[in-house]
Amino acid sequence: MAADSIRISFVNEIPLGVKPLREYTHPRKMVAVEVPGDALISRGIEVIFGEAMHEGSAAISIKQDNIAITWQRNQVHVLCPLESRLEVLTALADFGFYEGELHRLESDVEAQEPQAEKDVGFAHRIHHRNKEHWQRFGETIERFTRDRLTYARLCPQLAFPSLTLSPKSRQIVSKLLRESNMEDRLEMYSDRLETLEELYEGANDRVADYRWS
C-alpha cells in the first residue's frame, strides 16, 4: 500500500467549513483539525499512513490489534486498516496536543535554568547594587506561577485518556502515555519547576524585606 500523509493542526479557532477532530478546554482552548499533508503549519503533527518507520529511529512504538504506530516528535508513522483511521487520528490528536503542552512547559524550564544558575548569588545577597535584577525576579516568578497553573490543569489530561474517545482510541492513548513515560516526565518537570520557584520566591521575599527595612 502506497504511503499517504495528512497533518493534524492545533489552532485557536475552527476554520470555516472544517470539521474539528477534537476540541480542548484544558490547559487552554484549542482545536485539532485535519489539513492537507503538505500544509505549512506552525504547530502540528504529520501522520504518514502505510509506511513503517525504520527500526531504531522512533522514540515510541506501540501495537494495538491490527494497528502499528511509531511516534517521533511531530511525525507519526501508522499502519492500520482504512476503517480505523479516524479512531487513530483522534487518539493521535489527543496525545499530541497534551504531550505538546507538557513539552512546551519542559522547554520553558530548560531555557530558564542557565539564567537561574547565574541568579543564585543575586537572589541570596540582596542589596542596592543588584537592584536592576529585582523587577526581573518578580516577572520570573509570575511566569512560573502561570506555568504551575497550566501544569495543574494538564496533569489530569495526561493521567487517563478522555472518556469522550472511543474504546479503541482510549487504548491507543493509554499505550502512548505509558510508552512515553508520562508519569515520570510530569514528576520530573514538577521537581525542576519547584526548584526554580523556591529560588525566585526567596529572592522576592528578600527584596521585600530589604525595601521594608
Side-chain angles (χ1 to χ4, degrees), residues 150-161:
T150 298
Y151 172 78
R153 293 192 296 268
L154 182 60
C155 277
Q157 316 306 323
L158 287 170
F160 305 101

Side-chain angles (χ1 to χ4, degrees), residues 162-181:
S162 171
L163 294 174
T164 62
L165 291 169
S166 72
K168 183 179 289 186
S169 295
R170 283 174 54 81
Q171 290 171 343
I172 292 171
V173 173
S174 289
K175 288 190 174 184
L176 288 170
L177 290 172
R178 184 168 59 252
E179 291 301 314
S180 61
N181 299 314

Side-chain angles (χ1 to χ4, degrees), residues 49 64 115 121 124 129 142 149 158 162 172 184 191 202 213:
F49 287 100
Q64 174 64 41
Q115 182 61 54
H124 288 276
R129 283 173 297 186
E142 286 176 9
L149 291 172
L158 287 170
S162 171
I172 292 171
D184 290 341
D191 289 345
S213 64

Side-chain angles (χ1 to χ4, degrees), residues 51-116:
E51 179 181 280
M53 184 177 284
H54 296 300
E55 188 174 352
S57 64
I60 304 172
S61 236
I62 68 164
K63 290 186 178 180
Q64 174 64 41
D65 300 327
N66 54 358
I67 298 169
I69 297 172
T70 49
W71 177 288
Q72 199 167 32
R73 179 155 304 281
N74 299 328
Q75 188 178 84
V76 188
H77 291 248
V78 178
L79 295 172
C80 74
L82 186 62
E83 63 270 17
S84 298
R85 278 197 177 194
L86 181 58
E87 289 181 299
V88 170
L89 284 175
T90 54
L92 294 177
D94 266 30
F95 177 75
F97 175 68
Y98 294 125
E99 192 277 341
E101 291 294 292
L102 177 59
H103 180 70
R104 183 170 61 88
L105 293 176
E106 291 170 330
S107 298
D108 189 40
V109 161
E110 186 169 351
Q112 180 59 35
E113 284 174 334
Q115 182 61 54

